[in-house]
Amino acid sequence: MKSAEKRIGNYHTHTMRCGHAAGSDEDYVLAAIEAGWKVLGFSDHAPWPYRSGYTNLGVRMTTDMLKEYCASVRALQEKYKGRIRIYLGLECEYFPAYMDWLREQKEKLGLDFLIFGNHFEDSDEDGIYYGAAPLKEHALSYCKNALLGMETGLFSYFAHPDLFLMNYPVFDETAKQVSETICRRALELHIPLEYNLQGQRLEERGKAKGVGYPKRDFWEIAGKVGNEVIIGMDAHSPDALIDSERYNRAMEELRRLGVKQIFELPGLGE
Ligand SMILES: [Zn+2]
Ligand SMILES: [Zn+2]
């Protein structure tokens, strides 16, 4: 089978609402159809109901934008029925104070899925950004919250589980232990890990000041542990969905490392 024929589902797609993505919602759908995706999951950065009224407009929408986001994706789902299967989701952190709220929203809005992006420690209001965290204590904190997040049972997969390596200086013993701990726990909980292609783009633009991600050492471990791995385009512009060369390279890399790839998320239904 040729690589491109394996391109089935991408569940990591942002929208302009997060403040750092480009293109209309419909542009993403049209790009996905053009690229031959069978399934497109929208998973824009989740808003949170900060008690202080804080907003982080360059990173995520606000809670009052959520309804319109859902309506827009649902309308596209209907409009393109039969041409592509569209799912409505969010990419969410593990913010302990707001997990009950998230659970309620998932139910209330009828979200199809949530993916776990462990970007910040406890909150982006005052917590550290793990993608800019160079210290061992940061890596250990990332690991702790990664486990707690996975254990909520809310998430269909763990996005860029190696994000903590972005600014972490070397793949040392701590990085290895964190990686092994995350991979083993994900396996126990049957949570697929995402090999994230946005990390590569950031690295190419010189944004990674440390090891960067996706990092081979991490995915070698995932291969040995036996994790299920799905490639995520993490599209912040429609053209990212058409980048089949990058996708095929990633597939080759995972195959070389003996990683068990999945191409679709089970349990989302037709
Ligand atoms: Zn983003
Ligand atoms: Zn993302």
Side-chain angles (χ1 to χ4, degrees):
M1 185 180 261
K2 282 225 300 279
S3 312
E5 293 168 46
K6 285 246 187 182
R7 194 165 48 197
I8 300 172
N10 172 61
Y11 300 86
H12 199 156
T13 314
H14 292 278
T15 78
M16 271 167 48
R17 294 169 189 79
C18 68
H20 60 276
S24 72
D25 299 351
E26 190 158 21
D27 288 342
Y28 284 91
V29 175
L30 292 171
I33 292 171
E34 185 191 329
W37 293 101
K38 309 274 185 290
V39 178
L40 181 69
F42 278 94
S43 47
D44 207 0
H45 294 284
W48 296 99
Y50 304 100
R51 284 168 196 141
S52 63
Y54 172 78
T55 55
N56 195 354
L57 293 179
V59 171
R60 56 183 81 254
M61 66 178 98
T62 55
T63 48
D64 53 11
M65 293 161 78
L66 202 44
K67 223 171 135 187
E68 182 275 327
Y69 165 66
C70 295
S72 170
V73 173
R74 289 297 184 210
L76 290 167
Q77 188 178 44
E78 198 51 36
K79 181 169 177 184
Y80 289 94
K81 212 179 201 160
R83 293 178 69 192
I84 188 164
R85 261 155 59 211
I86 294 176
Y87 291 116
L88 171 61
L90 287 169
E91 178 181 21
C92 316
E93 287 82 5
Y94 172 70
F95 289 168
Y98 304 124
M99 295 318 273
D100 288 341
W101 176 86
L102 179 63
R103 205 177 288 276
E104 277 163 32
Q105 294 300 308
K106 184 174 188 247
E107 188 70 26
K108 193 174 111 191
L109 300 166
L111 301 177
D112 300 317
F113 72 108
L114 302 175
I115 62 174
F116 178 30
N118 191 22
H119 301 108
F120 298 92
E121 183 183 52
D122 298 341
S123 171
D124 50 344
E125 205 170 352
D126 41 26
I128 51 163
Y129 173 50
Y130 288 128
L135 303 177
K136 273 190 209 303
E137 66 192 71
H138 297 147
L140 296 174
S141 157
Y142 179 87
C143 186
K144 181 177 134 242
N145 277 3
L147 303 194
L148 291 170
M150 288 193 284
E151 285 160 6
T152 62
L154 280 168
F155 300 114
S156 295
Y157 77 56
F158 188 179
H160 43 63
D162 46 352
L163 171 75
F164 72 101
L165 295 169
M166 175 119 147
N167 274 16
Y168 196 76
V170 282
F171 197 86
D172 59 5
E173 195 52 37
T174 303
K176 187 172 165 229
Q177 276 169 18
V178 168
S179 303
E180 282 173 356
T181 305
I182 289 173
C183 290
R184 288 211 199 96
R185 193 68 182 127
L187 184 78
E188 282 166 7
L189 295 168
H190 307 287
I191 296 180
L193 302 177
E194 179 210 63
Y195 188 89
N196 182 284
L197 299 190
Q198 172 72 355
Q200 274 178 355
R201 293 186 204 102
L202 293 175
E203 207 171 326
E204 285 162 12
R205 288 184 220 142
K207 295 273 171 76
K209 297 195 175 64
V211 167
Y213 72 97
K215 173 67 179 165
R216 182 172 291 163
D217 302 67
F218 181 96
W219 297 99
E220 248 166 34
I221 291 169
K224 283 190 198 124
V225 168
N227 292 103
E228 289 191 327
V229 174
I230 185 160
I231 294 173
M233 305 304 279
D234 198 354
H236 285 79
S237 66
D239 61 340
L241 294 170
I242 307 178
D243 197 349
S244 54
E245 223 173 274
R246 188 182 295 280
Y247 182 85
N248 291 342
R249 273 203 311 273
M251 269 194 46
E252 279 308 313
E253 166 79 349
L254 291 172
R255 187 175 308 159
R256 263 198 307 275
L257 298 174
V259 168
K260 184 172 164 195
Q261 289 182 63
I262 59 168
F263 301 91
E264 216 175 336
L265 287 181
L268 282 183
E270 288 290 311

